[in-house]
Amino acid sequence: MTEGKYYNRAMEARLGMFFEAMDWDGLAAYLGGLSHKDFRMAGDIIGERLLPQVAPPVFWGAFHALLAFHAKAFLGTMLKSARVRRQTVGFTLRDGGFLLVADFLNRQGTALDRGKFIVAMLRMFGEDVAELEHLFQCLHVEDGQGRMDYLLQGDGMACAYLLFRAMRHAEHDHELLARCCRLLMKKGDRLSFNLASLAKVYFDLPQVKGTFSLRVSPYQLGRLESSYADFKKMMSLV
């Protein structure tokens, strides 16, 4: 961001003071008094210059305060900053500050905002089972179909593993499992197709049509249930 039309150094200094003092009421009052143009500029400064580098308690405090102030305007900004932090200073949902945001999303957030947050975290932590388990627990997403609908939108081996576990919780509903397999195949990537291949055999779903080149014997399928490490090994055999 360069100084000029979309950047104002004095505005950044003013915003920085609110962040340094963790004065979220003052920040909301300041933002609420800006013109539409300056409000957008402030959002860019917050998202691109302030949030990526502040300490975790400040980040989560700001995340909570800005969601409460204007979730529609700031949720996307916060999620972009979270991705930058993950690549630079680090980012984890297991920081205690996340509980503030989780509580807001559970009690006051819209279903749309809650869903956007969950999907963004699935794509960010697609290889980290512990982070995703913590995400679901804090946002009260029960195992089974509730998780399946979200996990189908994620990527990565951890998402695949948790999706398989969620399918096991719904193993009595063959039509739901078949639908899940078809959606996996429609995604088109190798990991999704391999999971659909294994699930078809594991759950005995003849209604799922497709050409699969399984190199896994039926007796080996039990290893899918034992651990994440064994699940990854099994997926490599498909």
Side-chain angles (χ1 to χ4, degrees):
M1 182 185 293
T2 57
E3 189 160 1
K5 183 177 180 181
Y6 299 107
Y7 175 62
N8 180 287
R9 193 179 299 276
M11 179 183 286
E12 181 179 355
R14 184 75 182 276
L15 291 168
M17 291 173 62
F18 292 120
F19 273 69
E20 185 175 355
M22 297 183 69
D23 178 6
W24 309 130
D25 289 338
L27 176 63
Y30 174 72
L31 292 171
L34 295 176
S35 67
H36 179 69
K37 175 184 175 182
D38 285 349
F39 185 87
R40 291 185 61 187
M41 186 188 301
D44 289 341
I45 291 171
I46 289 171
E48 297 176 23
R49 299 181 71 90
L50 298 179
L51 287 173
Q53 58 186 334
V54 297
V58 181
F59 175 83
W60 288 115
F63 203 136
H64 174 258
L66 290 170
L67 280 182
F69 169 65
H70 199 323
K72 185 176 181 180
F74 282 102
L75 179 59
T77 296
M78 308 305 289
L79 293 175
K80 288 179 183 177
S81 296
R83 288 194 291 272
V84 174
R85 289 179 68 85
R86 179 152 169 77
Q87 297 167 359
T88 54
V89 299
F91 176 76
T92 175
L93 297 176
R94 286 176 282 180
D95 187 288
F98 167 57
L99 297 178
L100 283 172
V101 172
D103 185 67
F104 175 86
L105 291 171
N106 287 330
R107 295 174 181 271
Q108 299 168 260
T110 66
L112 181 60
D113 288 341
R114 189 166 174 269
K116 284 181 178 179
F117 182 89
I118 291 172
V119 171
M121 294 302 107
L122 288 175
R123 292 172 178 169
M124 193 180 306
F125 292 110
E127 304 291 343
D128 194 322
V129 171
E131 290 282 354
L132 296 185
E133 284 280 23
H134 188 65
L135 169 71
F136 285 139
Q137 289 168 6
C138 290
L139 292 180
H140 307 153
V141 182
E142 301 298 329
D143 221 331
Q145 185 174 0
R147 292 192 180 188
M148 288 168 64
D149 291 340
Y150 283 122
L151 287 162
L152 282 164
Q153 301 176 66
D155 301 298
M157 189 65 74
C159 282
Y161 174 63
L162 292 179
L163 178 56
F164 172 74
R165 280 178 39 182
M167 292 174 77
R168 288 189 64 212
H169 277 264
E171 60 185 352
H172 60 283
D173 190 339
H174 281 202
E175 283 309 308
L176 174 63
L177 297 178
R179 171 182 168 273
C180 184
C181 287
R182 295 186 190 105
L183 290 172
L184 283 167
M185 294 164 64
K186 190 174 181 180
K187 288 179 73 173
D189 61 279
R190 184 172 180 272
L191 179 61
S192 297
F193 199 84
N194 286 353
L195 179 56
S197 175
L198 286 173
K200 171 184 166 66
V201 177
Y202 183 91
F203 296 109
D204 188 20
L205 302 171
Q207 64 269 54
V208 176
K209 308 299 182 182
T211 302
F212 304 107
S213 56
L214 277 175
R215 298 194 300 273
V216 178
S217 302
Y219 75 87
Q220 294 177 289
L221 292 173
R223 292 176 57 191
L224 288 168
E225 308 166 11
S226 55
S227 69
Y228 181 41
D230 281 343
F231 176 86
K232 289 193 289 186
K233 289 177 184 177
M234 290 296 296
M235 290 293 287
S236 69
L237 298 177
V238 183

